[in-house]
Amino acid sequence: MKINEIKTDSIIITPNNIKPYLIKEIRKNNPFCNVKFISKQELLNAYFFNYDEKAIYFLHEKYNLSYANAKEILDNLKCLDIEIAKNEIKLKDFIVYYNDLKNNKLLEFDNLFFNLFKDKNVYVFGYHKDDLDLKILNKLNIKYEFINIEKNNYKPQVYSFLSMDEEIDYLFISIGKLISENIDLSHIFIYEIPSEYESSVLKYKELYNLPINLDYSYKLSTSEIYNRFINYYLKTKDLKASFEKIENINSKDVEKISNIIVKINDINPKKEEIIDLLNYFAKNTTIKYKTYKNGINIIDSSYIISDDDYVFMIGFNSNNYPTVNKDNSIISDEIKEKLGQNTSIIKNKINKENLINFISASKNLIISFKEKHNSKECFKSNLINELNLEIKSGELGNKRYSKKALEIEIVKYKDILSNYNIKNEYVDAISDKELGYKLFDNKFKQPNLKINGDLLLSYTSVSDYYGCPFKYFIERVLNIGEFENKFRTKLGNVCHKILEDTVKENIPFDKINLDDFNELFDKNFITSKEKYYGKRLVNQMYDVIKKNQEFELEYKFIPKAEEEFKIDIDEKTKLVGKIDRYLIDDNNHVIIVDYKTGEVHFDERLLKYGLSLQLPIYDYLLTDKYNYVVLGIYIQKIIDKEEEEIDKKYLLDGVTNIDPKFIKILLKDIKEKEASKYIKNLSFNNKGEINSKLKPYNEKYKDIAKNKIIEANKKIRNFEFPIKPVAFNSAPPKSCDFCDHKDICFKNKWDEARYKLEEVKKNANKK
């Protein structure tokens, strides 16, 4: 049926962003038509249930789920037909969660909602006919009709560009041209921007001073006001008193913090869990930047545009168009199919058809794609051939609509001339003097400040400071950037916890069952891929524990795990560290061990540069408290290549006390031409000499560590945060690898603190 056939006293199920279009069209035909609009999500909430933060907290408390996992489970429960789900063994936990939540009245049911449909004409507009969520209407015996609009069959022009930069240039030059031709901004649109284009579009938006309503937002957890509030709370442990410190600041952040406090008071959690809840809600609270009343809007395939509108669709490459949903949800496609839910296959079909319909319906649509991104080749979307669209090579022309953008373009030409001696015809359009070419100063201008408050230092923070002081400043003083919980980190957490518990609970190897850690496993590994690889790698803990316990029994050591130590550096500074494992015997001999899941080695050459300090710091922390004699400080790699022999895996790798009266303790039962099964390079050669590759322990290491900590403390308090990443020999600075702050750093080669590392001298210690 058509829009002009809509009857009064009707209900239309439609996306919220289409409502303005429908209202306008309906009023053209019948200004007094009485219509109520409902979105699909509102329909789902009413048919199944809704929930609030209390339900999330309940699952967290009772089933030891993370807040994120609890929310994901609730969102999946929301579309679950419980009666059908009861027959699926893989969903038994979901049924338990559902019944428990329902019995505790933590699910909100709207039994009156469907009375709205009584004696009403019901229409669906803007949703696909194959969308299985609409089956809800069939189950309720609600008759409905799809509203259709007249289909066009436009074939837009497609432009190819060598790079993303050229493509973005073309987009903004084209928008500038439309504005110069008096096309109103409300008639100019950009289709959903692919993620790799977002930062460039944001930059060009400022260069062209264009009011583009980008769907950009920030998480409350990254806000300076929120972090100020958290710091107050950590000191006072009082939500009300902490909020009073910020409540007079005129910001949306304050309003959002107030809402979170209301939620927490409503939940009434344990005192020790408040900080975790605050951070969880803050990470899941999005604050949008202001939008322009008359601006260029970002749209998707559900948007209805007219023949007077202009739309730009950028990044039309195979990885972006059409969007692809994967089968990586908690509930697999196989089960979704049995439950009558939308599988990834159905969603992909709907996405593709909606995109094709949008392209065909758009008269003034300009599509573009890039052929390369950096050095990587990019492929055009298959839809170009499928829709038989013509491709032209994109040209920028010689007219620009932004002075700033023009200056940047000319600078690029000057860089190409300077670096490769290739001259562009426009390179001299603006002189070096006018541009201030190569006259910039990238140095970080440090304010005349000092840090006078309490300071907690650790191996990680000290290492971060010496790796690059500016990076330390960004992440640990300004608290910019969020920690990303990657798979390697999750794996480390699980392995550390298993190793810690087996030591603390004194569980013999033959009594260990990794299935006892399933809750810990499920809490950390969410996706099927994570679970698969996590299970394979975590299984190595059997071998690690067995090897460690054999060592302890053979050498009569008592293990200690995950003990935290603190030392006062001065009145306001503490050094803190948690040692993964250390072994002591009856004669106060100690071995210190730190677990690693990746390739990390102790390198004594780096100590004087403030790096590789972890083991010496642990030595300092431990021997400051106890009168121990150190036999060795080691790193133990707990995830290793599975094909290696067990005697070559999980060896302690570090430095060993080679004093004859102490090393003989570790040489126990090692015969000539044999090697230790526990300590790397602890062996004899043919002449009965100790292996020259065995690195000797030096008590001075902890003194170096202590002095570097005192030095770091002094520099941090004096606000010394230059852009100065440490680099060795010809290798790039490690602290710059995967650094998130490159756009504000502007590091040059001469900013690097580059040192030459000497070759490691061999130790010729004899038996």
Side-chain angles (χ1 to χ4, degrees):
M1 63 167 290
K2 298 179 180 179
I3 293 176
N4 60 11
E5 295 173 339
I6 292 173
K7 298 174 182 176
T8 193
D9 205 22
S10 300
I11 291 176
I12 302 178
I13 300 165
T14 189
N16 288 325
N17 63 343
I18 295 181
K19 279 165 57 176
Y21 169 81
L22 276 175
I23 291 169
K24 183 180 174 183
E25 292 299 311
I26 290 169
R27 283 178 178 168
K28 280 182 187 177
N29 300 293
N30 184 357
F32 305 104
C33 188
N34 179 30
V35 173
K36 181 176 179 62
F37 298 97
I38 296 171
S39 70
K40 185 180 77 172
Q41 193 56 55
E42 289 171 321
L43 189 67
L44 290 171
N45 289 347
Y47 182 79
F48 293 103
F49 62 82
N50 215 338
Y51 68 89
D52 61 17
E53 289 74 20
K54 287 181 184 177
I56 296 173
Y57 184 71
F58 176 83
L59 290 179
H60 164 76
E61 276 294 284
K62 184 161 183 180
Y63 297 100
N64 197 29
L65 296 167
S66 69
Y67 295 120
N69 280 5
K71 186 179 187 306
E72 188 177 6
I73 285 166
L74 279 159
D75 288 339
N76 276 275
L77 272 175
K78 220 170 176 183
C79 301
L80 208 60
D81 190 316
I82 297 299
E83 292 306 313
I84 300 175
K86 284 177 181 177
N87 299 319
E88 281 296 326
I89 191 164
K90 291 181 180 179
L91 297 177
K92 63 178 181 179
D93 289 342
F94 282 78
I95 304 300
V96 172
Y97 298 144
Y98 176 82
N99 290 330
D100 212 351
L101 288 161
K102 186 177 179 183
N103 292 337
N104 283 277
K105 299 183 178 177
L106 291 167
L107 304 180
E108 302 167 12
F109 297 95
D110 188 352
N111 298 319
L112 299 175
F113 179 83
F114 296 102
N115 289 335
L116 289 172
F117 293 89
K118 192 175 181 180
D119 300 325
K120 294 285 194 302
N121 301 297
V122 180
Y123 307 106
V124 176
F125 182 68
Y127 292 118
H128 199 277
K129 57 183 173 54
D130 293 331
D131 192 336
L132 297 180
D133 289 336
L134 298 175
K135 279 190 172 182
I136 292 169
L137 298 172
N138 298 332
K139 291 177 182 178
L140 294 167
N141 294 318
I142 295 172
K143 293 182 180 179
Y144 60 95
E145 292 182 79
F146 278 93
I147 300 170
N148 301 308
I149 55 176
E150 188 177 339
K151 287 189 175 182
N152 295 309
N153 193 24
Y154 294 119
K155 287 192 176 293
Q157 183 66 60
V158 180
Y159 294 97
S160 69
F161 292 91
L162 290 176
S163 67
M164 186 170 76
D165 285 345
E166 283 190 13
E167 192 181 356
I168 296 291
D169 272 326
Y170 178 79
L171 166 67
F172 280 85
I173 290 168
S174 300
I175 291 174
K177 185 170 183 286
L178 289 175
I179 293 170
S180 71
E181 293 170 354
N182 296 318
I183 302 297
D184 193 87
L185 291 173
S186 63
H187 287 285
I188 302 174
F189 301 92
I190 302 175
Y191 196 83
E192 289 181 325
I193 300 169
S195 58
E196 70 264 32
Y197 285 77
E198 288 177 352
S199 58
S200 294
V201 172
L202 184 60
K203 179 178 77 174
Y204 274 74
K205 168 186 177 294
E206 301 303 323
L207 293 176
Y208 278 78
N209 195 27
L210 279 176
I212 301 176
N213 288 322
L214 298 170
D215 190 22
Y216 284 161
S217 56
Y218 60 93
K219 299 293 183 184
L220 180 61
S221 56
T222 64
S223 137
E224 187 272 334
I225 294 172
Y226 174 74
N227 283 298
R228 200 188 307 177
F229 164 75
I230 285 294
N231 287 333
Y232 288 135
Y233 179 74
L234 289 172
K235 291 175 183 176
T236 64
K237 301 296 181 186
D238 186 319
L239 286 173
K240 184 179 178 184
S242 302
F243 183 73
E244 286 172 353
K245 295 277 190 181
I246 62 162
E247 65 179 333
N248 292 324
I249 301 173
N250 183 20
S251 169
K252 281 184 180 178
D253 298 2
V254 176
E255 181 186 336
K256 298 291 185 182
I257 292 168
S258 174
N259 293 341
I260 288 175
I261 292 172
V262 170
K263 290 177 183 177
I264 288 177
N265 287 335
D266 198 31
I267 293 170
N268 193 24
K270 297 173 184 175
K271 193 84 173 174
E272 63 270 20
E273 293 196 337
I274 288 177
I275 191 71
D276 286 341
L277 270 172
L278 282 169
N279 288 329
Y280 167 73
F281 288 136
K283 284 178 183 177
N284 288 278
T285 299
T286 300
I287 301 173
K288 290 193 174 184
Y289 291 109
K290 290 180 180 177
T291 56
Y292 304 97
K293 207 169 187 180
N294 187 34
I296 297 169
N297 288 312
I298 310 298
I299 59 173
D300 59 23
S301 61
S302 68
Y303 201 90
I304 310 295
I305 63 170
S306 71
D307 285 354
D308 297 327
D309 295 328
Y310 294 81
V311 184
F312 295 90
M313 191 178 281
I314 59 176
F316 205 74
N317 293 91
S318 57
N319 59 315
N320 294 322
Y321 293 92
T323 55
V324 175
N325 293 278
K326 296 180 180 178
D327 182 14
N328 55 9
S329 170
I330 288 180
I331 301 176
S332 68
D333 274 358
E334 181 186 358
I335 296 175
K336 282 181 180 177
E337 193 170 3
K338 294 177 184 177
L339 297 172
Q341 292 185 359
N342 289 326
T343 62
S344 59
I345 295 170
I346 291 175
K347 288 178 183 177
N348 291 335
K349 178 187 176 185
I350 292 172
N351 287 342
K352 182 178 177 181
E353 288 187 13
N354 285 343
L355 178 61
I356 290 172
N357 290 338
F358 179 87
I359 291 171
S360 301
S362 305
K363 181 181 180 182
N364 301 308
L365 172 63
I366 298 96
I367 296 175
S368 62
F369 68 91
K370 60 186 176 298
E371 295 176 8
K372 280 192 174 182
H373 185 43
N374 298 326
S375 59
K376 184 182 176 184
E377 187 176 0
C378 301
F379 302 98
K380 65 186 180 184
S381 169
N382 290 331
L383 286 177
I384 294 174
N385 292 334
E386 198 172 318
L387 298 176
N388 197 26
L389 302 179
E390 182 188 359
I391 300 174
K392 282 187 179 180
S393 180
E395 296 180 2
L396 300 180
N398 57 11
K399 195 166 185 177
R400 301 294 181 268
Y401 298 89
S402 162
K403 184 183 176 184
K404 287 182 180 178
L406 175 62
E407 288 173 344
I408 290 172
E409 188 176 343
I410 300 298
V411 165
K412 287 179 182 177
Y413 297 147
K414 290 182 183 293
D415 284 343
I416 291 169
L417 177 62
S418 173
N419 295 329
Y420 307 106
N421 201 30
I422 299 172
K423 188 169 184 177
N424 182 281
E425 60 180 312
Y426 299 111
V427 72
D428 296 320
I430 306 175
S431 70
D432 289 3
K433 187 177 179 181
E434 286 178 276
L435 286 171
Y437 183 62
K438 291 192 175 180
L439 297 178
F440 60 87
D441 179 7
N442 76 310
K443 299 296 181 188
F444 170 52
K445 302 298 187 294
Q446 298 174 173
N448 188 22
L449 295 173
K450 287 188 181 293
I451 296 174
N452 296 315
D454 293 338
L455 191 60
L456 197 65
L457 296 176
S458 65
Y459 149 70
T460 311
S461 64
V462 172
S463 182
D464 285 352
Y465 180 80
Y466 283 112
C468 178
F470 183 68
K471 187 175 180 181
Y472 177 98
F473 171 69
I474 296 294
E475 295 183 352
R476 294 184 179 268
V477 178
L478 298 183
N479 293 317
I480 293 174
E482 267 191 81
F483 172 73
E484 187 181 348
N485 204 3
K486 296 180 180 177
F487 174 74
R488 175 65 70 178
T489 308
K490 296 176 183 179
L491 178 64
N493 292 339
V494 172
C495 293
H496 274 67
K497 182 63 176 168
I498 292 170
L499 293 169
E500 175 192 352
D501 285 1
T502 53
V503 171
K504 285 188 172 180
E505 296 173 22
N506 197 23
I507 307 172
F509 166 74
D510 54 356
K511 302 292 183 187
I512 291 170
N513 183 359
L514 291 185
D515 289 340
D516 294 340
F517 296 93
N518 280 342
E519 279 190 22
L520 171 72
F521 190 88
D522 291 337
K523 185 177 179 180
N524 282 273
F525 302 125
I526 311 303
T527 65
S528 299
K529 184 178 178 181
E530 284 185 344
K531 289 181 187 296
Y532 172 74
Y533 286 107
K535 184 67 81 176
R536 281 188 63 185
L537 295 170
V538 170
N539 276 337
Q540 291 190 48
M541 291 309 98
Y542 279 119
D543 292 335
V544 178
I545 295 164
K546 182 180 180 183
K547 185 154 194 163
N548 287 348
Q549 290 187 358
E550 285 176 353
F551 179 51
E552 291 154 13
L553 289 169
E554 188 173 332
Y555 287 82
K556 297 180 181 177
F557 279 107
I558 299 168
K560 304 283 184 181
E562 294 291 336
E563 285 200 27
E564 186 171 276
F565 297 89
K566 283 185 182 178
I567 290 178
D568 290 332
I569 302 300
D570 58 35
E571 289 182 359
K572 292 186 176 180
T573 310
K574 290 185 186 299
L575 173 69
V576 64
K578 186 179 279 188
I579 300 175
D580 288 342
R581 177 167 160 259
Y582 66 95
L583 312 171
I584 55 175
D585 65 11
D586 293 338
N587 297 310
N588 273 356
H589 299 129
V590 68
I591 292 173
I592 300 169
V593 180
D594 185 67
Y595 301 132
K596 296 295 180 189
T597 54
E599 289 289 343
V600 180
H601 302 281
F602 171 67
D603 190 341
E604 63 272 22
R605 298 174 300 166
L606 302 180
L607 296 180
K608 63 181 179 181
Y609 306 112
L611 302 173
S612 206
L613 288 174
Q614 186 168 17
L615 294 178
I617 283 177
Y618 289 169
D619 183 4
Y620 173 39
L621 286 166
L622 189 62
T623 54
D624 180 76
K625 184 172 181 180
Y626 300 113
N627 187 28
Y628 289 144
V629 175
V630 176
L631 297 182
I633 50 178
Y634 304 104
I635 287 167
Q636 184 178 30
K637 188 179 175 187
I638 55 176
I639 298 293
D640 215 323
K641 294 177 182 177
E642 294 186 33
E643 63 270 14
E644 286 188 351
E645 296 173 19
I646 189 66
D647 283 350
K648 294 180 181 179
K649 294 168 72 173
Y650 320 120
L651 292 173
L652 302 180
D653 182 13
V655 290
T656 305
N657 192 333
I658 60 171
D659 186 308
K661 64 182 175 184
F662 297 126
I663 196 170
K664 68 179 182 180
I665 300 169
L666 299 175
L667 290 172
K668 178 184 177 182
D669 298 331
I670 299 177
K671 298 175 183 176
E672 290 185 8
K673 300 182 184 179
E674 289 186 354
S676 170
K677 293 185 292 182
Y678 311 109
I679 298 173
K680 189 174 182 179
N681 295 325
L682 184 58
S683 62
F684 296 116
N685 62 19
N686 293 338
K687 297 177 182 178
E689 298 168 338
I690 296 172
N691 189 341
S692 62
K693 292 181 180 179
L694 184 69
K695 295 179 182 178
Y697 166 77
N698 192 328
E699 200 164 333
K700 289 182 180 178
Y701 292 161
K702 64 181 177 184
D703 295 327
I704 296 172
K706 180 180 178 181
N707 291 332
K708 297 307 289 186
I709 292 160
I710 292 169
E711 179 189 327
N713 179 45
K714 183 179 178 182
K715 289 184 174 182
I716 290 167
R717 290 192 176 282
N718 286 335
F719 229 83
E720 296 180 31
F721 301 112
I723 299 170
K724 200 172 182 180
V726 172
F728 298 101
N729 299 339
S730 59
K734 279 198 172 182
S735 61
C736 295
D737 291 348
F738 313 111
C739 180
D740 295 326
H741 317 298
K742 290 178 182 175
D743 353 353
I744 58 173
C745 169
F746 305 110
K747 173 185 74 70
N748 287 312
K749 280 277 184 187
W750 50 85
D751 292 317
E752 297 173 359
R754 185 166 290 281
Y755 304 105
K756 186 176 180 180
L757 286 183
E758 297 177 359
E759 290 294 320
V760 179
K761 293 178 182 178
K762 290 188 177 182
N763 169 40
N765 298 293
K766 298 188 177 183
K767 184 178 176 184

